[in-house]
Amino acid sequence: MDSTAYFGQWGGSFIPEVLHETFRHLERAFAEIKSDPAFWQEYITLMSTYSCRPTPLTHAENLSQHFGGAQIYIKREDLNHTGAHKANNVMGQGLLVKRMGKTRVIAETGAGQHGVATATMAAKFGFDCTIYMGEEDVARQRPNVFWMEKMGATVVTVRDGSRTLKDAINEAFRDWVTNMDTTHYVFGTACGPAPFPEMVSWLQSIIGQEAREQILRQHGRLPARIYACVGGGSNSLGIFSSFFGEADTELVGVEAGGHGLDSGQHASRLCGHDASPGVAQGYKTMFLQNSDGQMLDTHSVSAGLDYIGVSPILADHWEKKTVRFEAATDREVIEALDLTMKKEGIIPALESAHAFVQAFKEAPELSPDDAVIINMSGRGDKDIFTIAQAFDDPSWKDFIIQRAAAYQK
Amino acid sequence: MQLENYLRQKKATKDILLMTHIVLGYPSLDANRAVIEQMVAGGVDCIEMQIPFTEPMADGPIILKANQESIAGGTTVEECLAFGAEMSRTYEIPFLYMTYYNIIYKYGEARFLDRAAADGIAGLILPDLPPEEGAELCAAARKRGIAPILIFAPTSTEVRMRELSGHGAGFIYCTARRGVTGKHSQLDADFGDYLQRCRAATDLPLAVGFGIQSRTDVEALIGLADMAVIGSQTIKLVDEQGVAAVGPFIATLNDVSGTSS
Ligand SMILES: Cc1ncc(COP(=O)(O)O)c(C=O)c1O
């Protein structure tokens, strides 16, 4: 395989023969947009007029004071249109689809953020759109299903396997191997066969470019640490992209610790001890799998981090120790979310709250002259059902019961 | 060479050969044993045994479900390999493994191939291992007398087919259409053109799979291909009518494949 498909020993392109030509076409199209400055300009213009770029970098003064250590800055990807960093990748791929002349897009989604972003893009650009989503994720992210359908997308509930993100990816591939002539698969994270890991990180690098300029302007120098949650790896690679190789900035990826790294119920591929090298879903990375190579069931309170694999680019950084990996448990995530809402009036997505957990653990050990950046990959509104349940909120429960009763009439 | 030679000799006595497919451990290895006995008695020419995988990306609903239920029922790779060895010891016809690359990657490529060779396995089908990633594995398999079965698709160009063929042995597996296993395939004029392109691109025998379900389908392949592959259909049959239905089904298919003149 050509060398750009690999990052160290990770990545590659393990695809069925029927997609061979489709991937050659995609590789050519990607090489074209990468070397065409007009594409990036078009992308920036689109993101600053249709979405809310540049997204602000918020100085969280109350949280900084609360922990008494580093100055905490929050990169506000929640303020993107559709409420998460997913829009960056999706709108970029949308422009690519137009150039390739395809008329239909498909996507997998876990949290539903990538699905909503894709449905939005399809509506704007006039593409047909089908979104694959695991049954478990449909149940926990129902509001996003509603919006996808309202924007004209077909949402297919996937009932195979663990009924989460990986199964949605398999099903999207099954669609693609049938409909590749008209259809582009808008992969949602920096995983999958080449060129997706590189392409998605490249489109997400807009986060890091802005964050670097903003922190230099607001804080006067580079941050001591940057925290980002890691599902497939797209928001973390996006913000890390402008800081790789900086001796003074440590990059920290936070995985889903679920019920704890020793519980067997988590989605920590790089900082846990249950993952091993493997090849699935078109690429080679560290997978949560058993000794036969069968994938394990993963768990996380957040649908978007609940995944067996991780970006091959991050696996390479993990191996070379250029990114440090930590895990946050479900319980810690809810606590960090609670504190952030109370102190700053900001509602992080459950995924993003993982990054907040680790930043809160480490901020006190740093000096008030230091800055840290938390990449807030998305907003928490979509999680209202899950968060309300985690808080066991009585008035919300009453409301749901009354609403349900009204619908039963 | 062994598998290719065997198929050529067999083909001299039949209009078209038959390969059947089973998912190991679905519904159980005992059921697999009984099904294979009937398949062999019915005169199939070779059998592909799928070692189940949790993420069978190229398979449609029937085989997907069989993979998942087999794994949920506790089937291990070790049991599959022991079963494969037993079948190839018991019967004269060639047995192949079909699986996804991760199963072999985790087992260790060399270790897997050594074991398969020692157990008399004739070939290996890996739908998610293109030659860009698998050239070494293909070579290592050929060295041990195991045929790496390469796949042609209707989207493959002639240049691509030639390249694939260079890595393969035994036969070429031509998928009858786009998509995944299971759905019926239209074997129309376009399909005939496609198989002619396949024929022109390789000297290896051609097998055709994906959606071959009936005697009519098998008949339609005579003159175009050397072997018909029956996949999801027998699994469906066992699900719906039990193991005993396999023998009569194979017999109806072989009605065509058995008459050489
Ligand atoms: C808000 C949010 N953050 C993070 C993620 C995790 O994905 P990634 O690691 O690719 O950023 C998701 C995925 O659905 C998400 O919706």
Side-chain angles (χ1 to χ4, degrees):
Chain A
M1 192 91 253
D2 77 291
S3 56
T4 58
Y6 275 88
F7 308 91
Q9 58 160 319
W10 313 100
S13 186
F14 297 80
I15 50 168
E17 174 56 26
V18 68
L19 286 176
H20 179 81
E21 289 304 318
T22 305
F23 271 82
R24 296 296 82 80
H25 183 200
L26 181 61
E27 276 164 9
R28 282 194 301 275
F30 175 48
E32 255 171 56
I33 59 167
K34 233 174 74 177
S35 61
D36 178 3
F39 177 87
W40 194 262
Q41 200 44 57
E42 188 185 4
Y43 174 55
I44 297 278
T45 305
L46 176 65
M47 295 312 288
S48 61
T49 53
Y50 186 62
S51 187
C52 217
R53 302 220 74 93
T55 59
L57 183 71
T58 302
H59 186 195
E61 289 172 80
N62 300 332
L63 283 170
S64 304
Q65 230 163 40
H66 177 80
F67 288 105
Q71 301 307 311
I72 298 173
Y73 287 86
I74 302 175
K75 179 61 174 163
R76 301 292 303 281
E77 289 305 298
D78 59 309
L79 296 179
N80 261 304
H81 180 41
T82 68
H85 71 294
K86 297 287 177 187
N88 305 331
N89 168 42
V90 163
M91 298 314 292
Q93 288 199 45
L95 294 174
L96 180 68
V97 174
K98 283 214 295 192
R99 288 194 177 206
M100 291 193 297
K102 297 196 172 182
T103 55
R104 175 173 177 262
V105 291
I106 56 173
E108 85 292 350
T109 195
Q113 290 303 105
H114 177 59
V116 169
T118 304
T120 306
M121 177 270 278
K124 178 170 171 59
F125 290 157
F127 303 140
D128 289 332
C129 179
T130 300
I131 304 294
Y132 293 92
M133 190 168 183
E135 188 173 35
E136 187 176 318
D137 296 334
V138 166
R140 56 184 163 172
Q141 307 275 237
R142 192 61 183 76
N144 277 341
V145 176
F146 172 80
W147 290 123
M148 286 185 263
E149 290 179 342
K150 278 287 160 277
M151 282 183 286
T154 304
V155 180
V156 177
T157 303
V158 179
R159 300 194 166 81
D160 306 308
S162 60
R163 300 157 199 236
T164 56
L165 186 57
K166 76 173 176 68
D167 310 286
I169 291 175
N170 289 336
E171 215 44 40
F173 269 111
R174 292 187 184 106
D175 180 319
W176 208 18
V177 298
T178 314
N179 302 305
M180 71 289 268
D181 289 347
T182 58
T183 301
H184 175 68
Y185 179 5
V186 183
F187 212 88
T189 188
C191 292
F196 282 117
E198 189 196 350
M199 184 164 80
V200 175
S201 333
W202 181 66
L203 292 168
Q204 292 291 4
S205 70
I206 194 169
I207 306 173
Q209 289 175 17
E210 289 172 8
R212 187 179 172 105
E213 221 181 279
Q214 289 166 324
I215 194 74
L216 287 176
R217 196 167 56 236
Q218 293 173 234
H219 178 68
R221 55 195 172 88
L222 292 178
R225 292 177 195 172
I226 301 177
Y227 300 91
C229 67
V230 179
S234 66
N235 87 86
S236 57
L237 283 164
I239 193 160
F240 292 167
S241 63
S242 290
F243 301 90
F244 282 125
E246 290 294 352
D248 296 336
T249 304
E250 191 183 13
L251 307 174
V252 185
V254 188
E255 297 183 281
H259 296 320
L261 292 185
D262 296 321
S263 67
Q265 292 189 298
H266 61 79
S268 299
R269 294 107 341 158
L270 297 177
C271 73
H273 36 254
D274 295 332
S276 59
V279 176
Q281 308 211 300
Y283 68 109
K284 180 179 174 195
T285 194
M286 292 289 285
F287 281 105
L288 288 163
Q289 58 182 332
N290 70 15
S291 58
D292 265 2
Q294 309 296 2
M295 297 300 145
L296 299 172
D297 278 350
T298 52
H299 166 80
S300 170
V301 66
S302 67
L305 306 188
D306 198 354
Y307 178 54
I308 49 170
V310 63
S311 175
I313 305 177
L314 285 176
D316 189 38
H317 282 291
W318 164 75
E319 200 166 47
K320 295 182 172 140
K321 300 195 162 45
T322 40
V323 175
R324 169 160 62 93
F325 288 89
E326 303 287 349
T329 64
D330 290 356
R331 183 190 306 234
E332 291 171 327
V333 162
I334 298 294
E335 283 165 15
L337 186 62
D338 192 29
L339 188 71
T340 306
M341 290 191 289
K342 298 271 164 43
K343 292 281 178 199
E344 299 289 347
I346 286 175
I347 313 172
L350 284 167
E351 289 80 11
S352 320
H354 286 71
F356 284 71
V357 168
Q358 196 60 29
F360 293 172
K361 283 184 193 166
E362 298 181 13
E365 62 190 53
L366 294 168
S367 134
D369 295 336
D370 288 329
V372 300
I373 302 178
I374 301 171
N375 196 29
M376 179 162 162
S377 55
R379 64 175 188 224
D381 317 34
K382 70 178 173 63
D383 298 320
I384 189 162
F385 287 89
T386 311
I387 296 173
Q389 180 151 349
F391 283 108
D392 199 18
D393 190 84
S395 64
W396 173 261
K397 273 197 238 172
D398 283 346
F399 160 71
I400 293 288
I401 290 164
Q402 279 168 28
R403 254 305 153 90
Y407 281 130
Q408 268 160 7
K409 276 175 200 151
Chain B
M1 275 316 265
Q2 291 110 305
L3 181 59
E4 184 186 341
N5 286 343
Y6 163 86
L7 295 176
R8 290 203 186 289
Q9 279 165 22
K10 269 276 177 131
K11 181 69 196 336
T13 68
K14 288 168 112 176
D15 287 333
I16 190 150
L17 306 176
L18 268 189
M19 178 164 87
T20 48
H21 166 276
I22 56 159
V23 174
L24 292 172
Y26 181 79
S28 67
L29 288 171
D30 281 340
N32 291 155
R33 216 173 254 114
V35 167
I36 287 175
E37 190 185 340
Q38 294 196 36
M39 286 174 170
V40 175
V44 308
D45 302 289
C46 57
I47 295 179
E48 69 174 305
M49 301 179 291
Q50 181 166 358
I51 304 173
F53 181 47
T54 43
E55 320 302 320
M57 191 206 257
D59 283 302
I62 293 173
I63 296 181
L64 166 63
K65 175 174 156 275
N67 273 261
Q68 287 172 347
E69 294 200 1
S70 174
I71 294 163
T75 306
T76 62
V77 171
E78 184 52 43
E79 285 172 337
C80 293
L81 299 183
F83 183 89
E86 178 194 329
M87 290 305 108
S88 100
R89 251 197 333 268
T90 309
Y91 299 107
E92 292 290 311
I93 65 164
F95 285 84
L96 294 82
Y97 285 134
M98 181 268 173
T99 191
Y100 289 81
Y101 176 57
N102 198 47
I103 297 295
I104 292 177
Y105 177 78
K106 277 297 276 183
Y107 196 87
E109 287 189 11
R111 187 173 158 235
F112 186 95
L113 292 173
D114 286 343
R115 169 113 185 234
D119 291 345
I121 296 301
L124 193 54
I125 307 174
L126 298 169
D128 64 343
L129 192 71
E132 285 77 8
E133 303 287 354
E136 282 176 31
L137 186 133
C138 289
R142 287 195 308 266
K143 230 176 79 189
R144 289 167 174 83
I146 298 171
I149 307 302
L150 274 284
I151 297 170
F152 286 1
T155 53
S156 310
T157 62
E158 271 179 57
V159 175
R160 177 68 178 168
M161 285 180 181
R162 282 208 196 87
E163 185 191 347
L164 293 168
S165 176
H167 294 276
F171 61 89
I172 294 288
Y173 191 125
C174 308
T175 62
R177 52 167 168 73
R178 293 154 193 232
V180 291
T181 55
K183 245 176 66 200
H184 188 249
S185 295
Q186 286 312 341
L187 306 179
D188 52 15
D190 279 354
F191 172 76
D193 291 348
Y194 158 56
L195 275 195
Q196 261 160 24
R197 286 197 292 120
C198 297
R199 186 64 94 189
T202 183
D203 293 331
L204 291 168
L206 299 181
V208 175
F210 278 38
I212 308 298
Q213 300 180 336
S214 66
R215 174 177 168 163
T216 315
D217 295 338
V218 176
E219 257 168 13
L221 296 177
I222 294 176
L224 289 170
D226 302 294
M227 181 156 72
V229 184
I230 313 290
S232 308
Q233 195 61 18
T234 35
I235 296 181
K236 211 168 121 193
L237 196 69
V238 174
D239 276 353
E240 287 168 2
Q241 299 174 34
V243 172
V246 174
F249 173 62
I250 299 294
T252 63
L253 299 177
N254 239 350
D255 246 14
V256 283
S257 55
T259 50
S260 64
S261 50

